[in-house]
Amino acid sequence: MAEYETFTGLYWHGNKSTITSFDTGGSEIKRSLIDKYFSIETTGNKFCIGYFDPETGSRARCPNTAIILQHESQVPQCTVCTQKNRGTFIAKTGRVTTERDRNLLKYKHVVYLASFGDQSDIKVGVARQSRYSDRIHEQGAAAAVVIAYAPEGVAARGIERIVSERLSIRQSIRYQEKLRNILDNDNKEAVYNQLRLCQKRIAQALPSQNIVYDDFIFTSPDYRIQKSAIDKVIHFIDKLDHISYISGWTIGVLGKIALFYTSGACYAINTKILEGREMRIQTRTDTTVGKVFGIHTKKIAINRQQGLF
């Protein structure tokens, strides 16, 4: 029987996704879910997931192996690791309180537009230039393009805010909308034209911002969505009981969302709700009858209409 592990997240590097965890000895384990049968059995316990160490470029285990209490269950980190990780979120707010924060913001940043299918709204966002592609994959966008460059994070956030406020462009897209349009995100020409039209609007409205159309990336194929396995609805898992079991055949990974087929239906789970949970994880390539229990789901109707382009 598999040993218990602490699930720490789903991450993208280049165009590949991996799930990560710490074993009981503190060693990090990385796995791919693509084209595999997987099972997850949670125990009800939750631990701190540690923090990202910018010096090593990897996740460090919580120094105290802290237990996350039930009333803190929305936060997968203890206060010590939250403080160590806080700098990675500075660019989202522009608030700078330490010298380390200032150093993080000195990296070059980009402002981008992201499409989640040509029937979905476009969003504007900010990323460190070196993480642009990974950031787009993490969000599950079908495609993206850079519209502005900035020497540091605060300036990039300022451009993003102006674009959002002046042209009513969203800064976030809900997971439900991403899943609803999952069958409408694989037309490269359509999303290219959609982003291009939006960029032209921005350039005309904000002539002083040096708006560009650069580094277009089409990320939809990287999610490996097996569309033949998706019917009229996706059962979206938005909550787990203390003890839960999930197993099935992976049919794609959309950003942080893992999609799988089990018991004749398509399910999706935002892996953020797994972070910190103690569990047994198994992956293999042979097909096995899947099952789920201890879960709470919402049905998301799939959009099967044709796009505009």
Side-chain angles (χ1 to χ4, degrees), residues 239-270:
K239 185 179 179 181
L240 299 175
D241 292 339
H242 287 309
I243 307 298
S244 56
Y245 184 87
I246 301 170
S247 65
W249 184 260
T250 307
I251 58 172
V253 177
L254 184 70
K256 296 280 188 177
I257 302 173
L259 294 101
F260 61 99
Y261 188 82
T262 187
S263 305
C266 177
Y267 287 79
I269 183 168
N270 178 3

Side-chain angles (χ1 to χ4, degrees), residues 10-21:
L10 188 157
Y11 301 96
W12 286 86
H13 300 285
N15 61 352
K16 299 185 184 301
S17 62
T18 56
I19 58 171
T20 62
S21 60

Side-chain angles (χ1 to χ4, degrees), residues 261-281:
Y261 188 82
T262 187
S263 305
C266 177
Y267 287 79
I269 183 168
N270 178 3
T271 56
K272 295 286 290 183
I273 70 173
L274 297 175
E275 291 179 1
R277 285 182 175 263
E278 182 184 56
M279 61 179 66
R280 289 191 177 102
I281 306 174

Side-chain angles (χ1 to χ4, degrees), residues 27-206:
S27 297
E28 188 175 41
I29 303 171
K30 297 182 179 182
R31 298 178 175 92
S32 171
L33 288 178
I34 295 297
D35 294 333
K36 290 181 180 177
Y37 172 88
F38 79 97
S39 64
I40 292 174
E41 177 186 358
T42 67
T43 67
N45 297 326
K46 193 169 185 179
F47 297 93
C48 175
I49 64 172
Y51 61 95
F52 181 78
D53 186 345
E55 294 184 2
T56 63
S58 61
R59 180 165 294 278
R61 191 184 189 192
C62 174
N64 303 315
T65 318
I67 296 174
I68 304 298
L69 301 177
Q70 180 60 27
H71 69 278
E72 302 171 329
S73 60
Q74 296 299 316
V75 181
Q77 288 177 297
C78 67
T79 54
V80 172
C81 292
T82 298
Q83 182 63 25
K84 287 178 177 293
N85 236 166
R86 193 182 61 80
T88 62
F89 300 102
I90 294 300
K92 293 183 179 181
T93 63
R95 292 192 294 269
V96 177
T97 58
T98 69
E99 188 61 31
R100 180 172 179 270
D101 297 343
R102 291 185 178 88
N103 291 333
L104 285 167
L105 285 174
K106 288 178 182 177
Y107 291 100
K108 293 180 179 179
H109 282 64
V110 296
V111 182
Y112 62 81
L113 298 177
S115 169
F116 297 83
D118 65 308
Q119 294 188 73
S120 173
D121 284 346
I122 288 174
K123 69 152 284 186
V124 60
V126 166
R128 191 184 302 181
Q129 187 170 350
S130 61
R131 290 202 72 250
Y132 165 55
S133 177
D134 287 349
R135 182 69 183 130
I136 300 307
H137 281 90
E138 289 169 359
Q139 296 179 74
V145 67
V146 172
I147 62 166
Y149 294 92
E152 40 78 30
V154 173
R157 183 60 66 193
I159 298 171
E160 178 201 37
R161 188 178 300 111
I162 291 171
V163 169
S164 179
E165 292 175 355
R166 297 276 186 88
L167 289 99
S168 300
I169 297 175
R170 294 164 64 178
Q171 295 185 47
S172 64
I173 302 291
R174 294 174 60 85
Y175 286 111
Q176 291 87 337
E177 184 173 341
K178 297 175 185 180
L179 289 171
R180 190 176 299 117
N181 293 298
I182 198 168
L183 301 182
D184 184 48
N185 65 1
D186 62 351
N187 187 323
K188 183 176 182 179
E189 182 180 2
V191 292
Y192 180 94
N193 291 336
Q194 180 198 34
L195 291 170
R196 184 61 168 161
L197 284 175
C198 186
Q199 181 269 346
K200 288 181 178 179
R201 285 179 52 225
I202 296 169
Q204 291 173 356
L206 305 171

